Amino acid sequence: MFIQKKFLSNVIIRLAFAMILTLLLAGCSTTNNDEAIVTNQVSQQLSSQKDTKLKSWTFTDTSGKEITLNIPVQKAVVINRNTAEAIKLLGAEDRVVATGDNTIKHNPYLGFDKFPDIGETEQVNLEAILSLKPEVVFTYTNRPDQKLEEKLEPAGIKVVRMNNYLPDQTDTEWKLLGKLFGKEERAAKFLEWKHQIESIPAKRIQEIDTSERKSVLALSAGFLNSNGGYRVFPSQSLDGKSGVGEGYATILAGGKDAADLQWNPAEASTTIMVDEEYVLNRNPDVVTLHGTWLGGYETTDAKPLDEAFANIMEISSLKKLKAGKDREVYFFHTNFIGSDKRYIGVLQLSKWLYPDLFEDVNPEAYAKEYFEEWLDVPYQGIWYYSFKETE
């Protein structure tokens, strides 16, 4: 009996030992697997970090200047409000440390009001820029002058000149910004959406015979309202290419430019002053008024626009024009036809010029999508206004 008990006891001990050994081996195997997984994850993270590491890239900006910059850009000052909006659309607004060019005033929905305002393009605070130590400053091709480069580039701050409002440049500039900020995929998606909208008037206006297209004169709303004078936004430039945005929008919308003026891109002003006789001789079918002092994101009441129109009709010769007599006068905030959101404004102008042809088109839906889907802010404000419809 004693021997049997001892034998059974030894068997039990051996079985227990075997089970413990099995569990230990299994544990070691699990540990090794876990270690392998962790090692793989660390390796992937390191690889990802390596992929986003800054690298030197040489490119040419819109002014034709060759620039070498480390990308993706991490710290930028933007004194071009069109470029500031493009950076916001790309989802790279966290790289902006200051703005200028009245970005905070005219583009309040961008959320840059918490950053320093370094001044208008002709009154830039260079000391403030130097103190912020950005990698790059974005500005227009024609302003400020070369003093910007002279003061900033010796300090290692690159100056990139682009416009982001002239129709023949915006696509190229968007692709460049996407590359500079490491947002190429976002830039490509936005351009696809933009091109879809641009294709609507481009296709339909082909149905309109040249002789039936309405003549349009694009004018500065502020200058006309202040003293009854005329400043024209030309649709073409000196080299025969597309002109100022507000003027070229006429062509894109299917109209004919009532003016025969050419814009010099080297000039800071985007308008050309003409006298009353010139305008009366041109006698356009339609007048478009442009500016930033009326309408905008924070405008909820149309009364100031109606008052401005009444004043213009009183102090100017607009009432003598065919457009004035027929009330074929339309206001556009600069942002929506002479700037970065031109394609939406052009669609609205097409609808006003040829209502039957664009009866099924709703430009307002695209405006809402732009703000709420791309900028991720509520859509609001008065961006364009028909004086014909308020008759």
Side-chain angles (χ1 to χ4, degrees):
M1 179 68 71
F2 174 76
I3 294 173
Q4 289 176 342
K5 286 182 178 180
K6 185 175 181 181
F7 174 77
L8 289 172
S9 177
N10 288 338
V11 170
I12 292 170
I13 290 171
R14 288 188 184 123
L15 288 171
F17 179 76
M19 290 176 64
I20 292 170
L21 183 61
T22 300
L23 290 171
L24 285 172
L25 289 172
C28 288
S29 176
T30 302
T31 301
N32 288 337
N33 288 337
D34 289 344
E35 288 178 353
I37 293 170
V38 170
T39 301
N40 186 47
Q41 289 175 340
V42 171
S43 176
Q44 290 176 348
Q45 289 174 353
L46 290 174
S47 176
S48 176
Q49 291 173 2
K50 184 178 180 181
D51 290 341
T52 58
K53 186 178 180 181
L54 296 179
K55 60 181 180 181
S56 179
W57 185 52
T58 300
F59 61 96
T60 302
D61 71 1
T62 307
S63 72
K65 180 176 61 177
E66 188 176 275
I67 300 168
T68 299
L69 189 65
N70 286 334
I71 60 170
V73 170
Q74 300 297 311
K75 195 174 182 182
V77 167
V78 190
I79 49 177
N80 172 333
R81 62 191 182 91
N82 309 114
T83 301
E85 184 146 339
I87 293 172
K88 168 72 174 181
L89 285 164
L90 285 171
E93 65 273 20
D94 58 326
R95 324 277 184 85
V96 175
V97 296
T99 63
D101 187 39
N102 287 313
T103 298
I104 295 171
K105 177 182 177 181
H106 295 308
N107 305 60
Y109 48 86
L110 297 179
F112 289 137
D113 54 310
K114 57 182 176 292
F115 299 126
D117 184 342
I118 49 85
E120 297 182 26
T121 51
E122 298 300 335
Q123 299 175 332
V124 175
N125 188 333
L126 292 170
E127 290 73 19
I129 296 176
L130 288 166
S131 69
L132 291 167
K133 299 179 180 179
E135 302 156 17
V136 59
V137 171
F138 291 97
T139 189
Y140 294 97
T141 57
N142 61 350
R143 61 189 191 276
D145 59 24
Q146 291 298 312
K147 288 181 181 178
L148 199 64
E149 282 87 348
E150 293 171 7
K151 297 293 184 181
L152 299 181
E153 293 193 342
I157 301 171
K158 303 292 184 178
V159 177
V160 175
R161 292 183 177 270
M162 58 171 59
N163 297 308
N164 278 298
Y165 74 91
L166 294 174
D168 60 337
Q169 299 173 353
T170 50
D171 284 10
T172 300
E173 290 172 336
W174 251 88
K175 292 173 184 176
L176 175 57
L177 280 175
K179 178 74 172 180
L180 290 176
F181 285 93
K183 299 287 186 177
E184 294 99 324
E185 185 177 346
R186 174 79 172 177
K189 288 181 179 179
F190 179 80
L191 286 176
E192 182 181 359
W193 179 78
K194 171 177 169 284
H195 293 160
Q196 175 195 354
I197 299 172
E198 290 173 330
S199 69
I200 299 172
K203 291 178 181 177
R204 298 193 185 194
I205 62 176
Q206 293 178 8
E207 302 176 22
I208 308 170
D209 188 87
T210 305
S211 62
E212 296 177 353
R213 297 195 178 192
K214 293 184 178 180
S215 62
V216 182
L217 192 64
L219 299 173
S220 165
F223 197 68
L224 190 57
N225 182 69
S226 62
N227 59 13
Y230 296 96
R231 297 196 71 94
V232 178
F233 292 95
S235 66
Q236 60 179 320
S237 56
L238 290 176
D239 54 9
K241 295 182 180 178
S242 57
V244 180
E246 291 89 339
Y248 192 63
T250 292
I251 309 302
L252 296 175
K256 295 183 297 185
D257 189 356
D260 60 351
L261 307 172
Q262 292 184 320
W263 175 60
N264 182 356
E267 296 291 334
S269 175
T270 54
T271 60
I272 297 175
M273 188 163 63
V274 297
D275 59 25
E276 181 181 57
E277 183 180 358
Y278 178 89
V279 174
L280 291 173
N281 287 335
R282 294 289 159 174
N283 195 23
D285 298 318
V286 176
V287 164
T288 55
L289 301 176
H290 308 271
T292 55
W293 62 282
L294 283 172
Y297 190 72
E298 296 177 334
T299 301
T300 57
D301 185 3
K303 185 178 179 181
L305 285 96
D306 289 323
E307 290 176 343
F309 180 68
N311 179 61
I312 288 171
M313 291 292 279
E314 178 68 26
I315 68 172
S316 77
S317 55
L318 182 63
K319 54 183 170 290
K320 298 180 182 179
L321 303 176
K322 184 178 187 302
K325 294 175 182 177
D326 297 339
R327 293 183 68 95
E328 288 271 10
V329 182
Y330 307 103
F331 169 79
F332 287 90
H333 189 280
T334 298
N335 284 18
F336 256 78
I337 204 165
S339 189
D340 43 20
K341 293 174 278 297
R342 171 181 299 100
Y343 44 95
I344 301 175
V346 163
L347 191 60
Q348 180 60 66
L349 179 55
S350 294
K351 188 177 178 72
W352 279 332
L353 292 178
Y354 311 107
D356 294 338
L357 190 59
F358 290 86
E359 185 178 6
D360 61 322
V361 177
N362 182 12
E364 195 80 356
Y366 292 110
K368 181 178 175 64
E369 185 177 356
Y370 175 87
F371 279 91
E372 298 188 353
E373 300 298 326
W374 288 101
L375 286 178
D376 195 27
V377 297
Y379 174 57
Q380 63 182 54
I382 298 176
W383 298 101
Y384 33 80
Y385 192 72
S386 168
F387 297 108
K388 184 179 181 65
E389 294 174 1
T390 59
E391 188 175 1

